[in-house]
Amino acid sequence: MSGRKGPFKGRTVAVVDDLSLDEQRYLYRKARELKEELRSGGEGRAFRVDDRDYAAYLVFMEDSTRTKESFRNAAKFCGCRTDVFDTATSSFNKNESIVDTMKMLYGYSDESCYVIRSKLEGVCRALDDALGRYAELTGRAKPAFINAGDGKHEHPTQEFLDEFSFLEQLGWRDERIHLALTGDLYHGRTAHSKADGLRVFKEAKVDLVAPELLGMPEHYVDKMRDNGYEVTCFESLDEYLASGQVAPIWYFTRLQLERMGESVLEKSKLLREAVTFRKDMLGKLPEGTRFYHPLPRDRLSPTNPTFLDELPLNGWDGQSANGYWTRIVLIGMVSGLLGADFEGEPKAERRFEDDFVAEAAPERRVKPEYKVGIRPVEEGIVIDHVSSGQPIGEIWGHVDAIRRMLKLDVRGSHGVYHNNQGTYKGIISLPDVTSFGGRELKKLAAIAPGCTLNLIRGHQVAKKYRLSMPPRIYNFDEISCKNPSCVSHPSHLEGIAPEFTRKGESVFVCRYCEREHRYREIWDV
Ligand code: NCD
């Protein structure tokens, strides 16, 4: 093992938010130091890992030029062993799971990081979980996984170089940014990562310029607003320029035709026109405007055409070079080399309270509906208030789902009854069941939040528990993420166990791809 012990050692960066704001600021500060040092003839010694036993694997399962090359050059600068894993001829094509492949690579070096680009959304989170457990089991250093773009999800390292470029442009002042985001905001992961990345500015005003079909997905717009940004939407550059409130920093993105369905492709010419900059628009820009683009741009019909290349507007060439500095620093951080001079809030781990069961005061009497056939329950369990207030059909569905999912193939009865509010609720009476394990309880809370569990002893309700929606739903066979691009989607056979965390009342977010689901959507029954 190396002696490197920096606080970021082995940290996975699957999304921007995997680094706290202070950690992101640290990355920008170090990248600035490095750039200035090298530009003034220095060697950047403090940024070189200089360890041939530290391996940086580049695993690119989707095309890439800039991200791959800047990481390759960054790893070389750092003095790590750099391996480019050839996915075209690997055993992925023999149905090997990605976890197995990574375990194999992990076996070849003492300490390592993996830079991964994939169509599978959430792949770095899934690998971090699986290899993290494996590292613990084998008593070895935990590897770091760096997301170099996962499907339509996020592209955190592009975000770091983008924010670095914006800060540089603004003279390192982070009070406020006014940014126009335009192009394919629907498919563009670099645009999605802005929902968290722009938080580095104390104030952000974001103008989203895209026709509806290329519009920013709703949950990213919500996230931007939750993060306090002022967000305004426009359908085209013409509409935007006519608004009179034009941003001095523009971020263009390419139309990602390779990700579009047939119906959108047919309209691509019109869509492209709405977000392509024309010569006659030049006069409508505020003084000193800068254009950025993650690149590549389409050489046949770029949204930021070549007539702009030699104007002072061109920020994208310098932006792409900034990928080198920010990625050297990121490798330095996750390898444990950098970080001794970090000050501020580290990323807090999210903790989940298992507070979904609350003991309630039992009414002593047993309600007349608590019965099996015509006999009241003497001893046993009664599940009451199932889906109270919901449409009758749904209540029956939930009653049935509870029976099947908890495998309650025992004597009992169930029904739909009036509740006190003049609507309906489901009841399941189980005279032969005398206890419920923690896992069953959790499952019950997850299927029928709001229900109560009554323990009946000698014709009386001895104990009563009110179950609410758990903060996390996982470890059940009957749930799955419904995003076909998610690494945990059953169609990929990657064996990644689905997991959802609750957001607000009843929205559940996939642990891997972060797709939001309505509560009922996560269940397969
Ligand atoms: C982007 C990507 O791959 O998400 N490019 C990049 O990483 N520099 C944007 C794109 O492909 O259009």
Side-chain angles (χ1 to χ4, degrees), residues 67 117 155 158 189-190 254 256 294-295:
T67 307
R117 171 168 289 189
H155 195 344
Q158 176 72 41
R189 52 197 175 199
T190 63
R254 173 179 72 88
Q256 303 203 3
L295 305 174

Side-chain angles (χ1 to χ4, degrees), residues 118 165 284:
S118 167
S165 306
K284 299 179 182 156

Side-chain angles (χ1 to χ4, degrees), residues 92-301:
F92 287 127
N93 309 323
K94 294 187 194 167
N95 269 349
E96 184 172 52
S97 79
I98 188 150
V99 170
D100 283 352
T101 311
M102 291 304 143
K103 262 190 192 162
M104 177 264 305
L105 293 180
Y106 177 61
Y108 299 157
S109 46
D110 255 7
E111 293 181 357
S112 45
C113 70
Y114 302 81
V115 178
I116 300 183
R117 171 168 289 189
S118 167
K119 281 189 174 49
L120 292 180
E121 298 175 13
V123 69
C124 286
R125 177 79 65 236
L127 286 169
D128 186 60
D129 290 348
L131 275 281
R133 284 192 300 270
Y134 184 60
E136 221 174 280
L137 216 68
T138 49
R140 297 186 45 212
K142 189 187 154 299
F145 294 93
I146 299 176
N147 179 7
D150 58 338
K152 301 191 292 298
H153 181 215
E154 278 222 27
H155 195 344
T157 71
Q158 176 72 41
E159 186 57 23
F160 297 148
L161 82 90
D162 291 346
E163 296 305 330
F164 179 85
S165 306
F166 300 155
L167 283 164
E168 189 174 43
Q169 161 72 8
L170 294 171
W172 308 107
R173 284 189 304 273
D174 63 1
E175 280 79 31
R176 186 171 193 275
I177 188 166
H178 180 192
L179 176 81
L181 260 178
T182 181
D184 187 348
L185 307 184
Y186 183 78
H187 299 95
R189 52 197 175 199
T190 63
H192 303 164
S193 285
K194 301 255 160 328
D196 275 326
L198 287 166
R199 278 200 307 139
V200 74
F201 291 94
K202 296 189 183 81
E203 245 181 72
K205 177 168 162 53
V206 183
D207 302 328
L208 302 175
V209 189
E212 206 182 327
L213 280 172
L214 301 180
M216 183 74 96
E218 209 46 48
H219 64 279
Y220 287 115
V221 180
D222 290 347
K223 199 191 227 185
M224 288 185 163
R225 295 206 165 112
D226 289 349
N227 281 337
Y229 310 171
E230 183 187 334
V231 182
T232 323
C233 300
F234 302 88
E235 289 271 326
S236 67
L237 289 184
D238 283 317
E239 185 195 331
Y240 181 50
L241 287 165
S243 74
Q245 299 253 323
V246 177
I249 299 184
W250 288 39
Y251 191 89
F252 286 81
T253 55
R254 173 179 72 88
L255 263 67
Q256 303 203 3
L257 301 175
E258 74 277 16
R259 298 189 205 276
M260 291 185 191
E262 283 299 313
S263 60
V264 183
L265 269 181
E266 273 169 27
K267 302 187 183 98
S268 62
K269 189 168 174 289
L270 273 179
L271 296 174
R272 191 190 298 283
E273 270 169 25
V275 291
T276 298
F277 198 83
R278 300 185 310 268
K279 276 194 180 134
D280 63 285
M281 295 171 169
L282 275 171
K284 299 179 182 156
L285 296 172
E287 180 81 27
T289 298
R290 273 286 174 111
F291 285 177
Y292 295 89
H293 193 307
L295 305 174
R297 61 178 166 181
D298 188 312
R299 69 171 180 272
L300 293 178
S301 30

Side-chain angles (χ1 to χ4, degrees), residues 3 18 37 50 66 90 146 166 207 324 327-328 447 501:
D18 281 335
E37 185 183 336
D50 270 335
R66 259 150 297 266
S90 75
I146 299 176
F166 300 155
D207 302 328
Y324 182 53
R327 284 166 175 142
I328 290 173
I447 317 164
T501 50

